[in-house]
Amino acid sequence: MIRNDDIRARLGLRPVINVSGTMTSLGASIVVPQAVETVAAILSQWTEMSDLQRTASRTIARLTGAEAGCVTASCSAGITLAVAAAMTGSDLAAIERLPDATGLKDEVVIQAGHMVSYGAPVEQAIRLAGARVVPVGQATSAHAYQLEGAITEKTAAAVYVVSHHVVEYGQIPLANFIARAHSKGVPVIVDAASEYDLTGFIAAGADIALYSGHKFLGGPTSGIIAGAKGLVRAAHLQNRGIGRGMKIGKEGVAGVIAALEAWETRDHAGIRERERKALDLWVKTLAGRPGVTARIMPDPTDNPLDRLRVDIDPQAARITAWDLADRMAAGEPPVVVRDHEAEHNYFFLDPCNLHPDEEAIVARRLTEELDQAAAAAEPVVSSFAERAMRQEAGLLNWPD
Ligand SMILES: *Cc1c(COP(=O)(O)O)cnc(C)c1O
């Protein structure tokens, strides 16, 4: 299955097919050719980094409508640096003192329903700056008056997370969140890591909008900080302090610039059409299978992409959603589906990260596993609880 010129063979890696999304654990995304070329071209050259970041600032400003921008290691680093910026401003001595926040505004308000994990906790990225997290409301219910009530003279910033991870109802609408925070003089940092909308959050009044360079943009691993010039400058200056451990190399900055430029000229409609073809193929593949229901679903945060939701009735299909997911991932070649909600007996197939013709391999693997389960003497029904324990044990076993 794995081709001889596939770098993964040399590194002892499985030739995984990703229908789960832009996952850090799978290498984030397929980097676009323009970024690959740019990364390769700059690696062997001396580069004046503050000039390179100036170029990035201009590109980020052009694409987001913000005054300025800079690039850091990841969106997660962007959260930390934006919070630090709101705390220290351009005070270089304070920047060197962090995470000791003595004498600084050090409270950051965030809705409880936004305190999620993207692989690490949002609130930890805030605390890394030396800030204290002040939750607003309850997980499934928050109101603008609670936001206002949580703001004190020590409040440095308000963080708003836009993501399928957050609680999907009962949260303060962004416009109200920004209006209430601004009425108290508090800057708003929007974590829009995987949102395709590069202009909307700044246009809505966010002081900082954060994006991952390595998700939909197809850049190398990186974080984009866009926003008001004073705050972006203060975020960039954190490289003289806590930002040092989050530094990005010239290849990352140049690669993100190339990915942003490629985004401007990308054939978005053509890509959408290709993704639709994959979805249609999978719908056809699964049609008429006992216990399997496939539905094309829009993205929960309205990004211009659809996924296939595959619901499994374990009795009729003779396999659970999580067992099917695990067998796909263990198969030849490994196919990783989007199974965050598998305990409810469904998973998604995300068509956004496929190389040409891989959709057919996904279809074949689904057919093989479902045929096998249908023909097996016993239904394939493992304990979901034991699966969770097994996954935790596997995590703790690394590097063995
Ligand atoms: C992916 C993600 C992050 C983290 O982004 P990295 O660039 O991988 O650090 C933060 N917030 C949200 C909402 C995300 O989806």
Side-chain angles (χ1 to χ4, degrees), residues 204-223:
D207 301 273
I208 292 280
L210 304 167
Y211 298 91
S212 292
H214 49 272
K215 289 184 176 172
F216 62 98
L217 287 168
T221 295
S222 53

mmCIF file of all heavy atoms in Angstrom, residues 204-223:
data_model
loop_
_atom_site.group_PDB
_atom_site.id
_atom_site.type_symbol
_atom_site.label_atom_id
_atom_site.label_comp_id
_atom_site.label_asym_id
_atom_site.label_seq_id
_atom_site.Cartn_x
_atom_site.Cartn_y
_atom_site.Cartn_z
ATOM 1 N N ALA A 204 -16.318 42.543 13.514
ATOM 2 C CA ALA A 204 -17.304 42.583 14.604
ATOM 3 C C ALA A 204 -16.789 43.371 15.811
ATOM 4 O O ALA A 204 -17.537 43.588 16.767
ATOM 5 C CB ALA A 204 -17.674 41.160 15.025
ATOM 6 N N GLY A 205 -15.498 43.745 15.782
ATOM 7 C CA GLY A 205 -14.961 44.568 16.860
ATOM 8 C C GLY A 205 -13.958 43.866 17.755
ATOM 9 O O GLY A 205 -13.491 44.456 18.742
ATOM 10 N N ALA A 206 -13.604 42.606 17.438
ATOM 11 C CA ALA A 206 -12.594 41.921 18.253
ATOM 12 C C ALA A 206 -11.282 42.708 18.208
ATOM 13 O O ALA A 206 -10.899 43.229 17.157
ATOM 14 C CB ALA A 206 -12.359 40.508 17.734
ATOM 15 N N ASP A 207 -10.608 42.804 19.343
ATOM 16 C CA ASP A 207 -9.321 43.501 19.389
ATOM 17 C C ASP A 207 -8.214 42.603 18.861
ATOM 18 O O ASP A 207 -7.233 43.083 18.289
ATOM 19 C CB ASP A 207 -9.048 43.942 20.826
ATOM 20 C CG ASP A 207 -10.147 44.865 21.322
ATOM 21 O OD1 ASP A 207 -10.038 46.079 21.089
ATOM 22 O OD2 ASP A 207 -11.149 44.370 21.889
ATOM 23 N N ILE A 208 -8.374 41.299 19.092
ATOM 24 C CA ILE A 208 -7.439 40.309 18.556
ATOM 25 C C ILE A 208 -8.257 39.128 18.030
ATOM 26 O O ILE A 208 -9.195 38.677 18.693
ATOM 27 C CB ILE A 208 -6.488 39.768 19.661
ATOM 28 C CG1 ILE A 208 -5.512 40.854 20.149
ATOM 29 C CG2 ILE A 208 -5.745 38.532 19.195
ATOM 30 C CD1 ILE A 208 -4.317 41.107 19.272
ATOM 31 N N ALA A 209 -7.894 38.630 16.847
ATOM 32 C CA ALA A 209 -8.446 37.360 16.357
ATOM 33 C C ALA A 209 -7.269 36.422 16.118
ATOM 34 O O ALA A 209 -6.242 36.823 15.564
ATOM 35 C CB ALA A 209 -9.234 37.570 15.069
ATOM 36 N N LEU A 210 -7.433 35.181 16.585
ATOM 37 C CA LEU A 210 -6.352 34.192 16.510
ATOM 38 C C LEU A 210 -6.747 33.050 15.581
ATOM 39 O O LEU A 210 -7.885 32.571 15.632
ATOM 40 C CB LEU A 210 -6.078 33.616 17.906
ATOM 41 C CG LEU A 210 -5.745 34.636 18.993
ATOM 42 C CD1 LEU A 210 -5.812 33.975 20.369
ATOM 43 C CD2 LEU A 210 -4.356 35.215 18.750
ATOM 44 N N TYR A 211 -5.796 32.623 14.760
ATOM 45 C CA TYR A 211 -6.040 31.511 13.839
ATOM 46 C C TYR A 211 -4.856 30.548 13.900
ATOM 47 O O TYR A 211 -3.733 30.953 14.173
ATOM 48 C CB TYR A 211 -6.172 32.017 12.396
ATOM 49 C CG TYR A 211 -7.341 32.953 12.186
ATOM 50 C CD1 TYR A 211 -7.186 34.339 12.336
ATOM 51 C CD2 TYR A 211 -8.597 32.460 11.859
ATOM 52 C CE1 TYR A 211 -8.264 35.195 12.149
ATOM 53 C CE2 TYR A 211 -9.671 33.316 11.678
ATOM 54 C CZ TYR A 211 -9.507 34.676 11.828
ATOM 55 O OH TYR A 211 -10.569 35.520 11.661
ATOM 56 N N SER A 212 -5.133 29.279 13.587
ATOM 57 C CA SER A 212 -4.049 28.323 13.377
ATOM 58 C C SER A 212 -3.601 28.444 11.932
ATOM 59 O O SER A 212 -4.431 28.432 11.025
ATOM 60 C CB SER A 212 -4.528 26.896 13.622
ATOM 61 O OG SER A 212 -4.814 26.699 14.980
ATOM 62 N N GLY A 213 -2.291 28.516 11.709
ATOM 63 C CA GLY A 213 -1.797 28.565 10.335
ATOM 64 C C GLY A 213 -1.875 27.213 9.660
ATOM 65 O O GLY A 213 -1.856 27.112 8.429
ATOM 66 N N HIS A 214 -1.951 26.154 10.482
ATOM 67 C CA HIS A 214 -1.824 24.796 9.939
ATOM 68 C C HIS A 214 -3.158 24.073 9.839
ATOM 69 O O HIS A 214 -3.189 22.871 9.675
ATOM 70 C CB HIS A 214 -0.891 23.988 10.845
ATOM 71 C CG HIS A 214 -1.252 24.093 12.294
ATOM 72 N ND1 HIS A 214 -0.756 25.094 13.100
ATOM 73 C CD2 HIS A 214 -2.085 23.387 13.055
ATOM 74 C CE1 HIS A 214 -1.262 24.961 14.307
ATOM 75 N NE2 HIS A 214 -2.082 23.943 14.308
ATOM 76 N N LYS A 215 -4.263 24.780 9.976
ATOM 77 C CA LYS A 215 -5.547 24.087 9.823
ATOM 78 C C LYS A 215 -6.062 24.330 8.397
ATOM 79 O O LYS A 215 -5.399 23.940 7.459
ATOM 80 C CB LYS A 215 -6.504 24.526 10.918
ATOM 81 C CG LYS A 215 -6.061 23.957 12.287
ATOM 82 C CD LYS A 215 -7.012 24.281 13.403
ATOM 83 C CE LYS A 215 -6.555 23.610 14.704
ATOM 84 N NZ LYS A 215 -7.345 24.061 15.859
ATOM 85 N N PHE A 216 -7.187 25.045 8.262
ATOM 86 C CA PHE A 216 -7.768 25.204 6.921
ATOM 87 C C PHE A 216 -6.833 25.910 5.950
ATOM 88 O O PHE A 216 -6.900 25.695 4.742
ATOM 89 C CB PHE A 216 -9.107 25.948 7.014
ATOM 90 C CG PHE A 216 -8.974 27.340 7.573
ATOM 91 C CD1 PHE A 216 -8.909 28.432 6.737
ATOM 92 C CD2 PHE A 216 -8.891 27.548 8.949
ATOM 93 C CE1 PHE A 216 -8.770 29.704 7.254
ATOM 94 C CE2 PHE A 216 -8.750 28.822 9.467
ATOM 95 C CZ PHE A 216 -8.681 29.903 8.614
ATOM 96 N N LEU A 217 -5.934 26.755 6.466
ATOM 97 C CA LEU A 217 -5.042 27.514 5.586
ATOM 98 C C LEU A 217 -3.981 26.634 4.930
ATOM 99 O O LEU A 217 -3.382 27.018 3.932
ATOM 100 C CB LEU A 217 -4.348 28.639 6.374
ATOM 101 C CG LEU A 217 -5.214 29.831 6.758
ATOM 102 C CD1 LEU A 217 -4.486 30.714 7.775
ATOM 103 C CD2 LEU A 217 -5.584 30.651 5.523
ATOM 104 N N GLY A 218 -3.699 25.474 5.525
ATOM 105 C CA GLY A 218 -2.693 24.598 4.942
ATOM 106 C C GLY A 218 -1.288 25.164 5.006
ATOM 107 O O GLY A 218 -0.474 24.976 4.099
ATOM 108 N N GLY A 219 -0.984 25.868 6.077
ATOM 109 C CA GLY A 219 0.377 26.357 6.283
ATOM 110 C C GLY A 219 1.158 25.385 7.160
ATOM 111 O O GLY A 219 0.621 24.377 7.624
ATOM 112 N N PRO A 220 2.449 25.686 7.406
ATOM 113 C CA PRO A 220 3.188 24.889 8.390
ATOM 114 C C PRO A 220 2.650 25.201 9.787
ATOM 115 O O PRO A 220 1.924 26.181 9.972
ATOM 116 C CB PRO A 220 4.623 25.383 8.229
ATOM 117 C CG PRO A 220 4.515 26.743 7.631
ATOM 118 C CD PRO A 220 3.244 26.771 6.833
ATOM 119 N N THR A 221 2.992 24.394 10.774
ATOM 120 C CA THR A 221 2.473 24.583 12.130
ATOM 121 C C THR A 221 2.807 25.977 12.633
ATOM 122 O O THR A 221 3.971 26.390 12.659
ATOM 123 C CB THR A 221 3.059 23.512 13.071
ATOM 124 O OG1 THR A 221 2.575 22.233 12.634
ATOM 125 C CG2 THR A 221 2.612 23.740 14.497
ATOM 126 N N SER A 222 1.786 26.724 13.029
ATOM 127 C CA SER A 222 1.966 28.143 13.356
ATOM 128 C C SER A 222 0.669 28.712 13.909
ATOM 129 O O SER A 222 -0.388 28.102 13.794
ATOM 130 C CB SER A 222 2.337 28.923 12.086
ATOM 131 O OG SER A 222 1.369 28.664 11.077
ATOM 132 N N GLY A 223 0.769 29.899 14.514
ATOM 133 C CA GLY A 223 -0.414 30.613 14.990
ATOM 134 C C GLY A 223 -0.387 32.037 14.479
ATOM 135 O O GLY A 223 0.674 32.669 14.418
#
